[in-house]
Amino acid sequence: MIRRWATDTSVSVAKSQAELEVLLDRNDAEPVMLGSSSIEVVIGWLMRKRKIIFRMMLPNPKSDEFKRTPTRNKVRTRQQAHAWKQACRFRHHARPLCITAKLEVVAVRIMRSEEEFLEHIQMPDGRLVADNVIPNMTLDNWIMSPDSSGRYCHPSPATHRKDK
């Protein structure tokens, strides 16, 4: 099992946010939005004429993971209830690491920025590329069949037929 990085971090959410803002500034990304709710934190920036929206889901404070102890399934005490805040600090602390890795991949030209941030690019209709693509990535849409050379490929829409 892979050990999760910085799960016991004491770095504050505000410090992690400031670190992210410095990171974006150093990479010529112009911050355009920052928002949060009880379920997610969103940061948006402009980079190479594209609007990038990075959403981070927050842990659910009502989850049994935070309401009950893992070994005996007892209700947590007030002191034990800090587990949710710790999980939030961990996610905020890991977010700059994730974005740093993506920016480094672009900087050393392993990938283009559009490729590395593709799922986070906001399209003209306001939705993210991921919101449009992921729902259509089901096995029903990707029935593989061999072509004339024996390689497997996605059938063209004209030849794709669903049997009912």
Side-chain angles (χ1 to χ4, degrees), residues 10-164:
S10 60
V11 176
S12 72
V13 168
K15 187 172 181 179
S16 292
Q17 182 61 40
E19 179 184 344
L20 182 55
E21 290 171 8
V22 167
L23 171 68
L24 292 175
D25 187 52
R26 266 190 276 148
N27 286 276
D28 298 323
E30 179 187 337
V32 293
M33 69 182 283
L34 175 63
S36 65
S37 70
S38 61
I39 61 168
E40 74 177 350
V41 176
V42 179
I43 186 166
W45 65 89
L46 295 176
M47 186 170 71
R48 298 188 183 168
K49 298 183 180 181
R50 305 230 189 270
K51 193 172 192 180
I52 310 295
I53 307 293
F54 197 91
R55 295 186 302 213
M56 178 181 72
M57 299 303 294
L58 293 174
N60 182 351
K62 296 178 182 172
S63 162
D64 279 348
E65 175 184 359
F66 305 112
K67 289 172 52 178
R68 301 197 169 275
T69 59
T71 52
R72 294 194 177 125
N73 201 25
K74 292 184 178 181
V75 175
R76 289 186 185 269
T77 65
R78 192 177 296 223
Q79 294 161 337
Q80 293 170 320
H82 82 284
W84 178 78
K85 289 182 181 179
Q86 181 63 35
C88 288
R89 279 195 302 272
F90 163 68
R91 290 195 183 187
H92 278 275
H93 193 55
R95 183 174 54 161
L97 177 68
C98 177
I99 294 171
T100 298
K102 288 179 168 294
L103 290 168
E104 186 64 20
V105 163
V106 171
V108 298
R109 298 186 177 167
I110 294 171
M111 303 280 280
R112 296 179 312 179
S113 62
E114 294 85 358
E115 294 167 333
E116 189 61 27
F117 288 98
L118 183 63
E119 65 195 278
H120 304 287
I121 294 174
Q122 187 176 41
M123 297 187 352
D125 67 0
R127 297 177 69 204
L128 300 183
V129 169
D131 296 336
N132 287 315
V133 173
I134 292 172
N136 294 311
M137 293 177 63
T138 63
L139 287 177
D140 291 341
N141 296 330
W142 290 94
I143 297 171
M144 302 295 275
S145 58
D147 64 10
S148 59
S149 67
R151 293 180 304 200
Y152 280 85
C153 62
H154 185 276
S156 69
T159 61
H160 185 169
R161 183 182 66 192
K162 282 189 179 179
D163 296 328
K164 293 189 178 194

